[in-house]
Amino acid sequence: MEQSFSSDTRCEVRTAAGIVRGRFERGVAVFRGIPYAEPPVGVRRFMPPVSVVGWEGVRDAVAFGPRVPQAGNRGSVMDSVSGCVGDGSGDCLTLNVWSPDLGAVNMPVMVWIQGGTYLENDSGNPHCDGAGLAAAGVVVVSMNYRVGMDGFGRIAGVPDNRGILDQVAALRWVRENIAGFGGDPGNVTVFGQSAGGACIAALLVMPLAAGLFRRAIIQSMAGTCFSPRLAGAVSDAIAGRLGVRATVAELAELTPRALIEASGAVLAGMPARLREWGPMALTPTPFSPVVDGEVLPCAPWRGIAEGAARGVDVLIGHTRDESRLYMSRPAGELTEARVAAAFDHLSPGSDGRAVYRDAYPAATVSERFEILHSDWLFRMPALHLAEAAHAGGGPVWMYELAWGFNAAQGSSHCLDFLLVFGTLGPDEVRAHPRAYPDAAAEIGEVARRMRGDWVRFAADARPGWPRFDRRARTTRVYDAESITRAYPEEASRRIWSGHRFGTLDLRPG
């Protein structure tokens, strides 16, 4: 690829589709809103991504591309069924590149896959600004991908997991074009958090993604995958609210806004479907990757244990207090019914409440409720995936973030990626009404250590501590004083040691 520089802030790179013009910002070359696939509108709306058609001349790449359809999106794409989107808001399958040196050769590449409960995705989120990471010596890429019914709903007549297929398309773009931005297409690390981390776990066992990345960092992965039957039941419920069937022909007559609103209504009523839909009804989303046997041949734990990711270096972990963020929000009273439903349907064994009471005798009922949710949805799926990677013969490293800056949220879900990107600063910490006295002074060092370890891992798979195995369970624990020790959540590990994570299905009957 060709690149050119000038004495002002502009910079240009030739990609396979055409020339893009970005600009230098604080010493980093930034290109925003580069299309990697054709707009997913009209006849392409529910189809796999289609490679972008090239353009003549120079395309400005200084503004983030439009968000994919999701709640809060005000673009005209939200009300279109024809694909005629006059304001350009349908051109949403775009990516962004931050490069510290366009003239470099073979810098490590880090591709960020953002989370958002499979309902939200916006690569323009300022908390995911790649400039800080890029300044540490890597080329950073982020992307938009389809979410909600368009990206993850099971629809008769089209492939499942279209949002993950968008990610595959973006990774192919990286392989074909990243050298022009100073990156090494043979040294790509995908990293993502929550739903983004779960998508990476799926990518590790997807044949279509084989060879597109060398390393993977999985942060706080959401540990749910759906069977076709369960995903189909969810889609039928969403379509049924609009009086149609979940087929391409009938859903194509509905606007994205209508499907998003119907999905929100189904989400609100999910707890009432617990006996039919099982534990997924207690999660914050009606969507997850679908184990369809084609795009996603099996659940990640099984495929990775069987060696599907043997050639990929994996770094995986979670925060200590994953669910504290959600429990701290005003979501209604913690009733006996909510507690009973959680322990009856989420915990392993026949008497989960007693098991957690014995394992955590000093905890209150609400604290055990929180620990259970953290274990079931985030912590234990991550631990078991690390164990699967080791069993499958691949190199794997484990971490836990134990540092937090306020008493209300602790080391909560999402805090890890804010530290890695460096987009949560001392002033914001200091302004929190329940901030710990030393937190503002500590955050810079904790963030620097995590970011440095992530960059070293992306460069040569040496994050700075020994590999994980099922005997020693060596784990890097990030805190004000970080240490390396055996996996710290031993009580929960023992509870879940006999459980096997896999594909969630409809309940019988």
Side-chain angles (χ1 to χ4, degrees), residues 221-242:
M221 65 175 285
T224 53
C225 291
F226 291 176
S227 71
R229 289 201 318 158
L230 177 55
V234 173
S235 292
D236 288 345
I238 293 169
R241 291 193 65 87
L242 299 168

Side-chain angles (χ1 to χ4, degrees), residues 141-266:
V141 180
S142 66
M143 71 187 78
N144 289 339
Y145 59 89
R146 282 173 286 182
V147 294
M149 192 70 172
D150 284 26
F152 290 91
R154 183 163 176 81
I155 302 172
V158 293
D160 292 310
N161 303 303
R162 295 170 298 280
I164 306 179
L165 291 176
D166 292 344
Q167 297 163 17
V168 171
L171 287 167
R172 287 177 176 156
W173 184 96
V174 169
R175 182 178 61 188
E176 295 169 1
N177 295 284
I178 206 63
F181 299 84
D184 180 357
N187 189 10
V188 174
T189 297
V190 288
F191 71 123
Q193 184 264 354
S194 195
C199 287
I200 293 174
L203 288 168
L204 285 167
V205 299
M206 284 174 52
L208 288 173
L212 292 178
F213 54 92
R214 185 173 179 180
R215 300 187 178 98
I217 303 175
I218 301 174
Q219 304 175 212
S220 299
M221 65 175 285
T224 53
C225 291
F226 291 176
S227 71
R229 289 201 318 158
L230 177 55
V234 173
S235 292
D236 288 345
I238 293 169
R241 291 193 65 87
L242 299 168
V244 300
R245 295 174 299 170
T247 66
V248 170
E250 296 191 34
L251 293 182
E253 298 300 318
L254 301 173
T255 67
R257 188 184 305 279
L259 281 179
I260 289 164
E261 291 175 352
S263 298
V266 168

Side-chain angles (χ1 to χ4, degrees), residues 177-445:
N177 295 284
I178 206 63
F181 299 84
D184 180 357
N187 189 10
V188 174
T189 297
V190 288
F191 71 123
Q193 184 264 354
S194 195
C199 287
I200 293 174
L203 288 168
L204 285 167
V205 299
M206 284 174 52
L208 288 173
L212 292 178
F213 54 92
R214 185 173 179 180
R215 300 187 178 98
I217 303 175
I218 301 174
Q219 304 175 212
S220 299
M221 65 175 285
T224 53
C225 291
F226 291 176
S227 71
R229 289 201 318 158
L230 177 55
V234 173
S235 292
D236 288 345
I238 293 169
R241 291 193 65 87
L242 299 168
V244 300
R245 295 174 299 170
T247 66
V248 170
E250 296 191 34
L251 293 182
E253 298 300 318
L254 301 173
T255 67
R257 188 184 305 279
L259 281 179
I260 289 164
E261 291 175 352
S263 298
V266 168
L267 171 60
M270 274 171 36
R273 298 177 181 265
L274 183 57
R275 293 192 179 278
E276 175 191 2
W277 289 1
M280 65 77 57
L282 299 179
T283 71
T285 177
F287 301 110
S288 280
V290 181
V291 181
D292 61 351
E294 297 178 9
V295 174
L296 182 56
C298 62
W301 300 271
R302 175 187 144 196
I304 291 171
E306 293 174 352
R310 187 176 293 125
V312 180
D313 303 316
V314 177
L315 171 60
I316 185 168
H318 55 72
T319 69
R320 183 190 59 204
D321 308 311
E322 287 283 1
S323 294
R324 185 78 56 82
L325 176 67
Y326 304 109
M327 302 303 167
S328 67
R329 294 173 177 172
E333 182 184 358
L334 185 60
T335 63
E336 173 61 25
R338 287 185 66 198
V339 172
F343 281 101
D344 288 347
H345 295 274
L346 301 185
S347 58
S350 59
D351 191 349
R353 195 183 305 216
V355 168
Y356 268 84
R357 185 172 58 245
D358 292 344
Y360 295 95
T364 65
V365 171
S366 62
E367 287 169 343
R368 288 195 289 269
F369 180 84
E370 176 200 317
I371 293 169
L372 169 64
H373 277 84
S374 294
D375 284 347
W376 180 78
L377 189 55
F378 300 113
R379 301 199 311 184
M380 295 304 107
L383 174 62
H384 285 211
L385 199 73
E387 293 175 343
H390 175 68
V396 58
W397 291 259
M398 187 81 187
Y399 79 90
E400 179 183 81
L401 175 62
W403 183 86
F405 67 90
N406 71 83
Q409 297 170 350
S411 180
S412 66
H413 194 64
C414 295
L415 181 57
D416 55 347
F417 84 79
L418 298 176
L419 296 173
V420 170
F421 279 98
T423 51
L424 176 68
D427 290 343
E428 293 170 275
V429 169
R430 196 177 291 112
H432 194 283
R434 298 186 64 184
Y436 295 127
D438 298 327
E442 293 169 350
I443 185 173
E445 180 60 20

Side-chain angles (χ1 to χ4, degrees), residues 23-85:
R23 64 188 180 196
F24 289 101
E25 298 176 7
R26 302 188 306 278
V28 173
V30 185
F31 298 80
R32 299 181 174 93
I34 303 174
Y36 66 85
E38 285 294 293
V41 296
V43 296
R44 291 188 296 269
R45 179 175 167 194
F46 300 113
M47 299 301 292
V50 175
S51 297
V52 67
V53 176
W55 55 84
E56 298 294 331
V58 179
R59 181 184 180 112
D60 278 331
V62 296
F64 289 109
R67 292 188 300 164
V68 297
Q70 59 192 279
N73 188 332
R74 293 180 174 82
S76 62
V77 69
M78 294 290 285
D79 296 304
S80 171
V81 294
S82 67
C84 299
V85 183

